[in-house]
Amino acid sequence: MTKSKSVFSPLSSILIANRGEIASRIIRTCKKMGIRSIAVYSDADRDAPFVNEANTAIYVGESSPVKSYLDIDKIIAAAKKSGSDAIHPGYGFLSENATFARRCKKEGIIFIGPNPEAIDAMGSKSNAKALMEKHGVPTVPGYKGKDQLDATLTAEANKIGYPVLLKATAGGGGKGMRIVNNENEIKNAIAAAKRESKSAFGDDELIVEKYIQSGRHIEFQIFGDKHGNAIHLLERECSIQRRYQKVMEESPSPILSAELRAEMGKAAVDAAKALNYDNAGTVEFIFDEFSNEFYFLEVNTRLQVEHPVTEEVTGLDLVKMQIESAQGKPLLISQEQVIGNGYAIELRLYAEDPSNNFLPVTGNILKFETPQVDGLRVESAVESGSEISVYYDPMIAKLIVWDINRENAMRKMAYVLRNLVCTGTTTNQDFLLKLVEHPDVIAGKYDTHFISKELDKLIKGVIDLKGINIPAIASTLFRWSHRNQNQQVLKSIPSGWRNSFYSYQFEEYSVGEEKIKIEYKFARNKFDIKVGEETYVVSLQDISEDKISFQLDGVLYKFSISKNGNNYFTHNEIFGNSKLTLLDRLPEKEQEKIKGGYISPMPSQIVKVLVKTGDKVNAGDGLVILSSMKMESTITAEEDGVVKEVYVKDGQNVEADYLLIELNTDE
C-alpha cells in the first residue's frame, strides 16, 4: 500500500455526537488528553450523567433520535456554535454515515472515524463481500445480486440449500436478518426482513447466505492510520448472542489456537488494507467448528460497544488512538508489539424482562451501586434516579472484568453480578448470573445458538432463584422498622403491637402471578414469622434508609431495598433481585379485561397494522407490529376470530397497556 501524505491537524475540543455510556467513555479520554469535550443532548437526556460530565453541553432537539442525534444539520450547527475542532460519533446513530463524514470534512471539522470511502464500501454487505473476495478474504457462500425480486431471492436460496440467512445489506445489529429453514418460510421471511431493514436503514436490499448452524462469532479489532499502516489488536469472541444481539464478549477466544489466531488476524488486516482503513474498526468472522473454516461476515466501520474488552487485554486506549489517527498521527504501535495480557469479559446489563421474552422495560433506576472489585470496569449510562426511556436502547451498563486467566475472570464476574445493586426496574442481571455460572459457558463450550438452546434452563434459574420467602421477610421487616421509627405516639409500644400475645400481624405481596402472605409478631427483641407452612425466628441487626440486615437460622442476611409506590425492590447476593408489590388490605376491584382485546405490553411505536376491521384471523396470525427501544415485536392472535375494531394506525406512539385491537371470538 502506498503511503499517503497527511497533514497533522491539532485539536483542542471535540463534540460527541452520541449519548449514554459511550458519550461518558469518550469524555473520560478527552479529559485525560486535556481536550475540551462538548456533549449534545435531547429532551429525554437533559439530566443524564454524560451531560454533566462534559465541559459543556448543547441541546439538539426532541427525544426521538431522528429529531436530535440523527439530525446532521443540528449536530453540525452545535459543533460550530461550540467551536469544536472535531466530532466523535461514538457507535450507532451517525457513526457509519458516510454522508455525515463528508459533511464534517466540507465544514472543516475533523471526523473521528474512518474515511468516507471505507464507510461506503462496507455500508453494503453485498459490496463488502465482493471486495473481500477480490482481496482473498474467505467469504460465506451466497447471493448478493441487485435483482431483489422475491422469486430471485427464493431461487437463490433453493440453489444454496437450506437453512439460509437473509441479511440486510445496510446496517447491522441484527436488524433485517431472518433464518429460513425451508422454502415454505421464505416468502414471509423476505417481507419481514425487507420491512425491518427499510425501517431501520432506509434500504431494503437483502443478501442470501448459507447459514452455518454451529458457528462461533469471532471478531478482530483493526486499526489503521493515514500513512498506510494497518494492524489488528487481537480478537474478541461474541458467540453468546440473543436475536443477533451480543450478550457476552471475551478475549482471548477460548477456542483459538495461536496458528488460527494468526491466520484470522492476517485476514482481518488484509480486509483493512483493502479498504485503505485509517481508524478503529472491527472485522467480523463466523468460525465453523465442524470444518475448522472461518468466513468474513462484515466490517464495522466504527468503535464497537465491546471495545473495553480489547482495551483491558492490550492496555491500549482505543478512543485516544482514534483521536490521534484522525489528527493524522501515525500508529505508535506495530503488529509485533501487540501482546495480550490476561483475560477480559464483558456483559451487557439491560432493562429487560427475561421471563417475558426479554421485552424491554421502562422506569426509574432507584438505586445503582456497583461493588468494589479489583479488575472491575463499569461503563454506565445511568446513576441512581436515572430514567430508562422508551426512545433509546435499554442498556443500563457494560460490566467488564479482567484477571490473569479465564477461570478467575469468570468467577469474578459472577461475584460482581451477585453484589451489583440495580433496583427500581426489571433487568437481566439474574439471567446473566445464571449464564456465567452455566458449566458449558465456564468451559467455553458454546456457539451462537447457546442461549436459544439453553433458554428454558436459564429462565427457570431466574424465576426460581432460591424462592421468595426471605426477600419478602426482608421487605416486611424494612416496612416494620420504618413505621416504628416514624411512630409519633406510644413510642414504647412496637409497631404492629397487638393486645393478644398470640395475635400475628400480616402483610401480603404479589410476586408476578403469585401471592405471598407474611405473618409476624415481635416479642423479646425477636420476630416470630410464618410464611405458609414455614416458620422463622428472626433478629433484626441493622437498618438504614435503603439497607437492612437480620439474622435467620444463624445466617446474617444483608438486603438493599428501594421503594416506589407499593413496589419494593430487594437485592441480596444469594437471592438476587426481587420485585414485591404490597397488596392493599382493601384492594380496589381490578379493571375488567376486554374479551378479545390485545394491548401494548410496553410503550411502543406502531410499525405496521397487519389487519383491518372485518378480517378473519386464525390463532397465531400477526395483528400488529410494534417497535420499542430499537426492538421490533409482533402481537399475534391467541385464538380464531374476526377483527371487531382497530384502535391504532401506522406510526402512532402508544403507552403500555394501550388497547390496540379487539377481536370478536364468539363462535
Side-chain angles (χ1 to χ4, degrees):
M1 183 183 293
T2 303
K3 292 187 177 181
S4 61
K5 293 183 179 180
S6 177
V7 178
F8 173 73
S9 302
L11 61 83
S12 60
S13 59
I14 294 175
L15 181 136
I16 298 114
N18 217 298
R19 62 175 299 279
E21 59 87 17
I22 186 57
S24 294
R25 164 71 189 89
I26 297 166
I27 290 167
R28 191 164 68 245
T29 287
C30 285
K31 290 180 178 179
K32 184 170 67 175
M33 297 178 70
I35 295 173
R36 178 170 168 258
S37 59
I38 299 95
V40 293
Y41 65 92
S42 68
D43 285 328
D45 282 334
R46 285 183 182 275
D47 300 318
F50 76 91
V51 175
N52 295 320
E53 291 164 356
N55 290 109
T56 190
I58 297 176
Y59 172 72
V60 288
E62 298 175 27
S63 300
S64 171
V66 174
K67 297 181 178 180
S68 51
Y69 299 110
L70 286 171
D71 191 316
I72 291 176
D73 289 337
K74 288 181 178 178
I75 298 298
I76 294 294
K80 288 185 171 182
K81 183 177 181 179
S82 61
S84 299
D85 302 311
I87 294 178
H88 196 307
Y91 52 73
F93 293 142
L94 296 171
S95 62
E96 294 180 282
N97 188 312
T99 299
F100 178 60
R102 289 190 176 95
R103 177 72 181 277
C104 288
K105 184 176 181 179
K106 180 181 177 182
E107 300 286 351
I109 300 168
I110 298 170
F111 176 75
I112 302 177
N115 61 80
E117 292 73 28
I119 298 175
D120 269 339
M122 293 297 101
S124 165
K125 287 185 175 63
S126 56
N127 292 342
K129 189 173 181 180
L131 181 64
M132 293 303 126
E133 288 174 350
K134 181 179 177 181
H135 286 81
V137 179
T139 60
V140 180
Y143 171 75
K144 53 183 184 296
K146 289 297 181 184
D147 184 349
Q148 290 288 300
L149 292 175
D150 286 9
T152 302
L153 296 176
T154 301
E156 292 295 336
N158 292 339
K159 189 186 301 181
I160 295 166
Y162 295 93
V164 298
L165 180 66
L166 301 176
K167 290 169 54 176
T169 63
K175 300 294 184 184
M177 296 179 71
R178 293 292 187 280
I179 299 169
V180 185
N181 293 300
N182 55 63
E183 189 174 355
N184 294 331
E185 299 177 1
I186 196 162
K187 181 179 179 181
N188 290 337
I190 290 171
K194 284 190 171 185
R195 182 178 60 247
E196 193 171 89
S197 177
K198 186 72 173 178
S199 173
F201 315 118
D203 184 347
D204 65 358
E205 184 177 298
L206 302 178
I207 62 176
V208 188
E209 290 185 341
K210 179 67 180 174
Y211 183 62
I212 297 172
Q213 298 188 64
S214 180
R216 309 275 292 219
H217 187 133
I218 298 173
E219 60 187 32
F220 275 72
Q221 178 71 54
I222 56 170
F223 226 101
D225 62 22
K226 297 181 185 300
H227 303 272
N229 302 306
I231 60 174
H232 74 78
L233 304 178
L234 305 177
E235 84 279 4
R236 298 182 291 257
E237 169 129 10
C238 310
S239 298
I240 295 186
Q241 306 176 1
R242 186 186 56 78
R243 295 177 183 150
Y244 306 109
Q245 297 287 335
K246 297 163 187 174
V247 175
M248 183 178 105
E249 300 100 352
E250 60 179 312
S251 184
S253 165
I255 63 160
L256 287 195
S257 64
E259 293 76 18
L260 189 54
R261 179 175 294 109
E263 187 180 353
M264 293 179 76
K266 180 182 182 302
V269 172
D270 287 344
K273 290 181 177 179
L275 292 166
N276 242 352
Y277 210 78
D278 59 348
N279 209 271
T282 299
V283 182
E284 300 193 356
F285 297 103
I286 188 76
F287 175 69
D288 189 339
E289 288 190 89
F290 291 132
S291 66
N292 217 37
E293 299 287 338
F294 65 90
Y295 304 100
F296 168 85
L297 288 178
E298 62 182 337
V299 176
N300 290 297
T301 53
R302 53 173 165 78
L303 194 68
Q304 290 280 86
V305 176
E306 58 271 23
H307 76 274
V309 171
T310 296
E311 293 185 325
E312 291 303 308
V313 295
T314 62
L316 299 170
D317 183 332
L318 269 61
V319 174
K320 180 173 182 286
M321 291 175 67
Q322 280 191 291
I323 295 170
E324 291 173 342
S325 179
Q327 288 180 278
K329 292 183 178 181
L331 286 173
L332 300 178
I333 186 172
S334 66
Q335 191 66 70
E336 293 72 26
Q337 293 172 310
V338 178
I339 300 172
N341 176 36
Y343 230 97
I345 302 170
E346 175 180 296
L347 290 174
R348 305 184 187 192
L349 181 68
Y350 277 97
E352 62 183 12
D353 186 356
S355 66
N356 189 21
N357 199 28
F358 292 90
L359 284 178
V361 296
T362 57
N364 290 327
I365 302 295
L366 301 179
K367 184 174 183 181
F368 184 72
E369 183 178 272
T370 57
Q372 298 298 310
V373 176
D374 187 35
L376 170 64
R377 171 176 170 178
V378 179
E379 299 286 352
S380 178
V382 307
E383 59 189 1
S384 297
S386 291
E387 179 184 2
I388 303 299
S389 166
V390 67
Y391 296 101
Y392 311 118
D393 186 282
M395 187 165 68
I396 294 171
K398 300 184 307 196
L399 309 174
I400 307 101
V401 297
W402 178 93
D403 212 307
I404 195 66
N405 57 44
R406 190 172 187 273
E407 179 185 358
N408 290 0
M410 293 294 291
R411 183 175 63 242
K412 185 177 288 184
M413 181 63 84
Y415 179 88
V416 168
L417 289 166
R418 286 191 178 280
N419 290 277
L420 179 143
V421 178
C422 184
T423 59
T425 190
T426 303
T427 75
N428 65 340
Q429 182 178 346
D430 293 338
F431 171 81
L432 294 177
L433 176 59
K434 298 302 293 185
L435 183 68
V436 299
E437 290 184 332
H438 194 289
D440 289 344
V441 175
I442 292 173
K445 298 177 180 178
Y446 54 77
D447 60 17
T448 53
H449 305 297
F450 177 79
I451 287 181
S452 60
K453 289 188 292 189
E454 296 293 313
L455 187 59
D456 288 344
K457 295 177 184 177
L458 295 168
I459 294 298
K460 186 176 187 299
V462 172
I463 296 172
D464 298 338
L465 195 63
K466 302 288 187 181
I468 199 65
N469 286 12
I470 307 303
I473 289 172
S475 178
T476 300
L477 296 184
F478 182 81
R479 283 176 43 76
W480 179 91
S481 180
H482 280 279
R483 286 200 309 271
N484 207 42
Q485 291 174 6
N486 295 330
Q487 190 170 312
Q488 299 299 314
V489 296
L490 301 176
K491 292 188 176 183
S492 61
I493 300 177
S495 173
W497 179 83
R498 295 290 185 271
N499 59 8
S500 169
F501 176 78
Y502 297 102
S503 179
Y504 279 81
Q505 191 178 14
F506 72 91
E507 288 186 348
E508 286 187 291
Y509 300 91
S510 64
V511 183
E513 299 296 322
E514 303 297 324
K515 292 183 180 180
I516 184 170
K517 184 176 183 179
I518 308 294
E519 298 180 89
Y520 66 96
K521 63 181 178 181
F522 180 75
R524 295 181 292 277
N525 294 320
K526 293 184 183 297
F527 292 86
D528 291 319
I529 297 178
K530 294 192 298 183
V531 186
E533 300 297 319
E534 302 291 330
T535 61
Y536 306 90
V537 177
V538 179
S539 174
L540 187 62
Q541 296 295 302
D542 194 22
I543 182 78
S544 67
E545 183 179 349
D546 57 3
K547 286 185 172 64
I548 188 171
S549 62
F550 53 88
Q551 283 192 347
L552 188 159
D553 293 335
V555 178
L556 179 65
Y557 292 99
K558 298 179 181 180
F559 278 82
S560 290
I561 300 183
S562 301
K563 177 181 182 296
N564 185 7
N566 276 6
N567 294 320
Y568 288 81
F569 299 87
T570 73
H571 176 268
N572 171 269
E573 65 164 345
I574 298 173
F575 300 101
N577 295 294
S578 302
K579 176 186 175 183
L580 303 103
T581 301
L582 182 69
L583 299 178
D584 293 331
R585 297 295 175 90
L586 298 173
E588 296 181 6
K589 184 179 179 181
E590 287 189 17
Q591 184 177 355
E592 186 176 350
K593 292 184 178 179
I594 297 175
K595 187 177 186 300
Y598 292 82
I599 63 172
S600 172
M602 55 194 168
S604 307
Q605 184 179 61
I606 307 300
V607 175
K608 188 174 183 61
V609 178
L610 302 175
V611 295
K612 61 182 183 298
T613 302
D615 283 355
K616 292 183 179 180
V617 297
N618 298 318
D621 286 352
L623 302 175
V624 60
I625 300 171
L626 308 176
S627 177
S628 181
M629 295 174 164
K630 298 171 68 176
M631 188 186 81
E632 190 178 287
S633 58
T634 302
I635 302 295
T636 58
E638 296 176 355
E639 54 185 322
D640 298 349
V642 176
V643 179
K644 180 179 179 182
E645 194 72 52
V646 177
Y647 297 101
V648 292
K649 59 184 179 180
D650 294 358
Q652 181 178 343
N653 292 313
V654 297
E655 296 298 320
D657 298 326
Y658 190 93
L659 182 61
L660 306 170
I661 285 176
E662 189 177 350
L663 300 186
N664 187 340
T665 57
D666 296 332
E667 296 184 355

